[in-house]
Amino acid sequence: MTAGEPGAVQDGSSKGGLRAALGGLTTRGRSFLAAGVAAAVCAYVLGQGDLLRVGLLLAVLPLVCVVVLYRTRYRVTGTRRLSPSRVPAGAEARVHLRMDNVSRLPTGLLMLQDRVPYVLGPRPRFVLDRVEAGGRREVSYRVRSDLRGRYPLGPLQLRLNDPFGMCELTRSFSAYDTLVVVPRTVPLPPLRLAGEASGYGDGRQRSLALAGEDDIIPRGYRHGDDLRRVHWRSTARYGELMVRREEQPQRARCTVLLDTRQVAYAGAGPDSAFEWAVSGAASALVHMLERGFAVRLLTDDGNAVPGEGSDGFAGSTQESADSAGLMLDTLAVVGHSDGGGLSRAHDVLRGSNEGLLIAFFGDLDEEQTSVAARMRQRAGAGVAFVLDSARWTGDTSPAGPAAPGRAEERLRQLREAGWTAVPVPPGAELPALWQLAGQLRADTESAGNGGPTGFPGGWS
């Protein structure tokens, strides 16, 4: 990524820039200028011509350095490269800076300073020795953040010095880059969850197109396609080779629902309940994409990612990496919603028939529990991870809105509605809860009832 290009420095007008250059005189330059003026005045008073020449030399030298430094500008270019540009929270990224002297004159001492947000660490500073004409210098530094988000890097500041140390100018490049810190993701164990379509996984059955010759939907020819599948009528119509879509994979679908209501969570910071829910949603969607599901991310305010396409889900398998990146970028900056409830997410789910619904809920009151129960009717299977913020913050007051007894009642209502409801205690590991949800789902299907009546390791 390029953070600066030739001539991409921020300068004012010629008059203002020259005034700023004069203001960049160092202590040595000001001393020479003052000594030269004093010597010239004394030479004029005393009538000493030799002293006048010395005074003029002392006064002109810093002024010449200012003009040369301002005029040449050294034509120094700066570039920045992030490796990588997207990192999970807690991981490090390396920033590479390169300075190129594209002029025919060598530079003096160069001092680099890159602007970074305080959460990424201290502001990096570098001192570069004289750079020869056409030469380059490369430096690097590391950044790290435990908090997800989008952080701007730059602009890069360059401090220029003349060889005599008479003048010092600071210029800034206009470009900057962005480091995206996404939530942490953890690998999850592979489980066979209800709601999968048979087009992916163990079955790999395919649905044959039950259409006549006139109803076939052709597609463009791809390298390796069997020529016996060429649809000549469509080829003549479109002017290029078209092949029959004789079979279509039945792609399983999954929606990951994240509850972002501010009233549903208490506390803040990397170890808070909300951050656990965000990290859990990121891990779930990455895992389901890796298993070949068509996945979308849905929040309580009704916003769906990756987009508003034909069904709002991620595209083909080739686009899974891009879809995962888009959803992780969304989770990197997701915050609390206005607390309007889960009704808007329910409206989105009501318009389609979901395959698998994986939800991460905060504290649920009676009304929101009822809405969540209705969501389950639109999915082939539903797994809910329910966080009790009171337990996460250590507030176990019996009068609290999320008291243990009330939280257990909410879980029972969700299970009766068909959810595989899993409570999330403080510091829980998602892979263990994921494995436990699969076991509960299998036990529920074997028992043939609406949901488990108890939960091992519950809120008590």
Side-chain angles (χ1 to χ4, degrees):
M1 295 186 178
T2 301
E5 299 176 354
V9 292
Q10 298 173 346
D11 288 320
S13 62
S14 177
K15 182 178 180 180
L18 187 57
R19 186 183 299 111
L22 290 173
L25 284 172
T26 62
T27 302
R28 178 184 301 178
R30 296 175 186 274
S31 299
F32 267 65
L33 183 60
V37 172
V41 172
C42 293
Y44 177 78
V45 173
L46 300 176
Q48 297 292 328
D50 294 337
L51 183 58
L52 178 61
R53 285 190 290 270
V54 172
L56 291 177
L57 176 62
L58 295 176
V60 169
L61 181 59
L63 296 178
V64 171
C65 291
V66 168
V67 174
V68 171
L69 190 63
Y70 173 72
R71 290 295 183 183
T72 60
R73 303 184 184 181
Y74 291 140
R75 296 188 63 192
V76 176
T77 63
T79 59
R80 181 192 297 105
R81 179 172 56 87
L82 302 182
S83 177
S85 60
R86 181 192 292 121
V87 296
E92 290 185 344
R94 183 168 289 275
V95 183
H96 301 269
L97 303 176
R98 192 181 79 178
M99 305 303 299
D100 294 272
N101 181 17
V102 296
S103 71
R104 299 180 180 179
L105 299 176
T107 70
L109 191 67
L110 298 180
M111 286 171 282
L112 300 179
Q113 177 177 276
D114 207 7
R115 290 186 179 180
V116 299
Y118 71 94
V119 296
L120 297 183
R123 181 169 296 181
R125 294 181 174 88
F126 304 94
V127 178
L128 304 181
D129 293 332
R130 177 178 177 272
V131 181
E132 65 279 3
R136 69 174 57 173
R137 297 289 185 272
E138 294 185 6
V139 294
S140 65
Y141 64 93
R142 294 178 296 180
V143 291
R144 178 181 181 273
S145 174
D146 292 328
L147 300 175
R148 56 186 175 81
R150 295 174 61 90
Y151 300 102
L153 299 178
L156 180 65
Q157 291 183 333
L158 177 64
R159 186 176 297 176
L160 308 174
N161 283 34
D162 69 281
F164 298 102
M166 299 289 181
C167 184
E168 180 181 278
L169 296 180
T170 300
R171 296 194 174 112
S172 298
F173 293 89
S174 58
Y176 65 91
D177 292 318
T178 301
L179 175 68
V180 181
V181 180
V182 300
R184 297 185 183 94
T185 58
V186 294
L188 301 178
L191 301 175
R192 184 170 182 81
L193 299 173
E196 299 183 34
S198 57
Y200 288 83
D202 298 333
R204 292 188 178 274
Q205 300 175 1
R206 293 179 181 270
S207 57
L208 297 179
L210 303 179
E213 180 72 15
D214 295 335
D215 297 327
I216 292 178
I217 302 177
R219 63 167 174 82
Y221 175 83
R222 298 173 185 169
H223 179 71
D225 284 339
D226 191 347
L227 291 178
R228 290 175 296 180
R229 295 175 56 192
V230 173
H231 191 246
W232 297 109
R233 183 179 300 178
S234 298
T235 298
R237 178 183 303 174
Y238 294 103
E240 59 177 336
L241 281 177
M242 306 293 289
V243 298
R244 297 181 180 89
R245 291 184 176 181
E246 295 180 351
E247 54 184 21
Q248 297 292 336
Q250 192 175 4
R251 189 175 177 84
R253 304 203 304 181
C254 174
T255 295
V256 178
L257 172 63
L258 176 62
D259 181 9
T260 64
R261 295 172 299 125
Q262 188 169 9
V263 296
Y265 301 93
D271 298 326
S272 64
F274 180 66
E275 292 301 324
W276 192 98
V278 173
S279 178
S283 301
L285 65 88
V286 170
H287 175 75
M288 301 312 292
L289 280 172
E290 290 175 348
R291 292 195 61 187
F293 278 67
V295 181
R296 71 173 172 181
L297 172 67
L298 180 65
T299 58
D300 59 289
D301 55 8
N303 292 328
V305 181
E308 302 294 338
S310 58
D311 54 8
F313 287 81
S316 61
T317 305
Q318 292 80 3
E319 299 173 356
S320 295
D322 295 336
S323 300
L326 179 59
M327 287 184 277
L328 288 176
D329 288 349
T330 301
L331 290 176
V333 296
V334 69
H336 290 295
S337 64
D338 56 5
L342 302 172
S343 58
R344 284 175 288 186
H346 174 263
D347 293 339
V348 174
L349 295 175
R350 185 170 54 184
S352 60
N353 187 14
E354 306 300 317
L356 175 63
L357 178 59
I358 303 175
F360 292 84
F361 292 123
D363 295 328
L364 297 172
D365 55 21
E366 184 175 357
E367 178 183 358
Q368 300 308 317
T369 303
S370 176
V371 176
R374 294 196 301 270
M375 290 181 181
R376 173 61 184 83
Q377 302 173 1
R378 308 307 306 174
V383 180
F385 297 92
V386 185
L387 290 85
D388 181 9
S389 296
R391 290 289 302 275
W392 281 75
T393 58
D395 181 13
T396 58
S397 173
R406 298 182 184 180
E408 190 66 35
E409 176 63 20
R410 304 297 183 237
L411 288 173
R412 184 188 63 81
Q413 295 177 14
L414 291 177
R415 291 165 187 161
E416 290 179 350
W419 285 97
T420 302
V422 181
V424 181
E429 297 292 337
L430 180 60
L433 297 179
W434 186 267
Q435 184 75 37
L436 190 53
Q439 296 175 0
L440 288 174
R441 185 71 192 177
D443 294 343
T444 302
E445 293 178 350
S446 299
N449 54 34
T453 57
F455 187 84
W459 296 101
S460 59

